[in-house]
């Protein structure tokens, strides 16, 4: 069997899942020394969703994405689950999700922290180029399980959720016009979690580096796509802190109004945040055919990733 001809891919559908349990800033203020106003001013977060398992949230989001795509699930060739909070050390949580969905396909976890979904999307395009037809890309997290609920500098940020996308091989050029992935391992100690430990973070260092990493990654993808920031119709950024997004947009010269934001009600859901914000924009009818959509994330590692999609009208 010979290698197939290189091929493009298009995004067919999205699905999301958030836990029912809402934790407000006032709820947190009962446990740690903080206030609703401080959290909103410094992060933009008003509430977050907490609960469930990574596989459970990923399964629900995937079911919705498959349903919306109208495809036969048995035609899915690969499941890529981006997560930094797997249910077990072994096996990959992707295998649990595969079993839950009754799929017979390849399945693997991918850990690039909050850049994970964008890394997964780019990896899916690579697999499609090598001959796969349909791929399910999921970002799912239960960060609440690795959050220290007595540490006010981190517990106000992290939360749970999932988003999924069905990607399909296409005869034409496909949606992806530019992409970029990076990592700076020298900064690994700015955000880490030991086995059986809780997240430990240097917030200020991450803030500074995140703004630069998002700008750098976005510019790489734009250059590959032969576009400028002015050509971008919608930015779907990782939702870590509204001030990080504002600062990155300012450096890129893209108006903040062009971003899709969910952080006020979801908090930071790491790998899930980009698909959650992308789906939010779709539900709000903010994306039209042929729009240039910039996905951009950064996270522990410190990783960063971006992708420019020419929207195909789904
Ligand atoms: N409530 C009230 N006061 C607080 C809180 C809180 N929840 N947390 C910290 N403070 C205090 C600090 O103790 C400090 O007090 P001091 O001046 O007396 O020492 C003061 O507020 C200012 O603290 P800073 O850390 O300077 O506050 P800052 O404006 O930087 O905001 C924050 C902190 C929100 C954590 C910010 O640095 C941030 O968002 N950083 C990025 C974090 C991030 O994105 N992490 C995720 C990475 S992605 C991934 O992979 C998951």
């Amino acid at each position: 069997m010979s290698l197939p001809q290189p091929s493009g891919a298009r995004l067919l559908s999205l699905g999301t899942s958030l836990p029912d349990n809402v934790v407000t800033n006032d709820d947190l203020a009962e446990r740690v020394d903080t206030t609703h106003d401080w959290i909103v001013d410094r992060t933009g977060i008003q509430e977050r969703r907490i609960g469930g398992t990574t596989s459970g949230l990923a399964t629900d989001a995937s079911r919705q994405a498959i349903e919306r795509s109208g495809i036969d699930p048995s035609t899915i060739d690969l499941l890529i689950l981006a997560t930094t909070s797997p249910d077990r050390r072994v096996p990959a949580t992707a295998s649990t999700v595969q079993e839950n969905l009754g799929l017979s396909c390849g399945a693997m976890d991918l850990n690039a922290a909050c850049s994970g979904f964008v890394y997964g999307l780019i990896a899916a395009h690579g697999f499609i180029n090598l001959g796969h037809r349909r791929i399910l890309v999921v970002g799912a997290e239960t960060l609440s399980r690795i959050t220290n609920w007595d540490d006010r500098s981190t517990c106000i940020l992290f939360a749970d959720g999932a988003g999924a996308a069905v990607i399909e091989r296409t005869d034409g050029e496909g949606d992806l016009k530019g992409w970029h992935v990076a990592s700076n391992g020298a900064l690994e100690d700015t955000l880490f979690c030991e086995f059986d430990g809780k997240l430990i973070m240097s917030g200020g260092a991450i803030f500074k580096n995140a703004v630069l990493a998002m700008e750098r990654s976005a510019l790489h993808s734009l250059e590959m796509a032969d576009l400028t920031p002015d050509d971008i119709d919608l930015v779907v950024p990782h939702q870590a802190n509204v001030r990080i997004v504002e600062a990155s947009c300012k450096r890129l010269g893209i108006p903040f109004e062009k971003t899709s934001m969910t952080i006020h009600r979801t908090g930071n859901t790491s790998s899930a945040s980009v698909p959650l914000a992308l789906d939010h924009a779709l539900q709000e009818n903010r994306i039209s055919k042929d729009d240039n959509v910039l996905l951009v994330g950064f996270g522990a590692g410190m990783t960063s990733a971006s992708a420019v999609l020419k929207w195909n009208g789904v």
Side-chain angles (χ1 to χ4, degrees), residues 33-35 38-39 42-43 113-114 143 152-153 156-158 191 201 203-204 206-207 238 240-241 243-244 268 270 298-300:
D33 183 14
T34 191
T35 63
W38 192 96
I39 300 171
R42 307 310 291 164
T43 71
C114 307
L143 294 178
R152 69 177 181 169
S153 67
I156 56 163
L157 298 173
F158 299 119
L191 179 59
M201 182 181 80
I206 291 188
F207 194 109
H238 169 47
N241 185 322
R243 292 188 297 130
I244 292 177
N268 179 349
S270 190
F298 68 91

Side-chain angles (χ1 to χ4, degrees), residues 20-172:
D20 294 333
N21 181 29
V22 177
V23 176
T24 65
N25 291 344
D26 286 334
D27 292 334
L28 293 179
E30 283 177 20
R31 178 150 181 171
V32 294
D33 183 14
T34 191
T35 63
H36 170 77
D37 290 347
W38 192 96
I39 300 171
V40 173
D41 284 353
R42 307 310 291 164
T43 71
I45 299 169
Q46 299 186 9
E47 59 185 36
R48 71 283 293 141
R49 270 79 183 147
I50 301 293
T53 60
T54 296
S55 57
L57 293 167
T59 302
D60 291 346
S62 300
R63 277 208 181 99
Q64 189 178 49
I66 292 168
E67 228 171 81
R68 285 175 173 174
S69 72
I71 64 160
D72 174 354
S74 71
T75 62
I76 293 173
D77 294 312
L78 178 66
L79 191 170
I80 300 176
L81 173 61
T83 186
T84 199
S85 47
D87 286 348
R88 291 164 150 181
R89 197 178 297 183
V90 178
T93 302
S95 297
T96 310
V97 178
Q98 179 203 31
E99 170 64 10
N100 291 347
L101 295 171
L103 304 180
S104 45
C105 63
M108 66 170 176
D109 283 5
L110 179 161
N111 180 353
C114 307
S115 314
F117 180 82
V118 184
Y119 262 79
L121 191 69
I122 295 163
H125 280 76
F127 276 98
I128 281 174
N129 237 323
L130 288 169
H132 273 349
R133 184 166 157 228
R134 287 179 173 148
I135 300 184
L136 184 61
V137 183
V138 192
E141 304 282 1
T142 41
L143 294 178
S144 62
R145 296 190 299 185
I146 53 169
T147 296
N148 176 356
W149 291 100
D150 294 317
D151 173 10
R152 69 177 181 169
S153 67
T154 52
C155 76
I156 56 163
L157 298 173
F158 299 119
D160 306 335
V166 177
I167 316 295
E168 183 180 65
R169 186 180 177 93
T170 175
D171 288 338

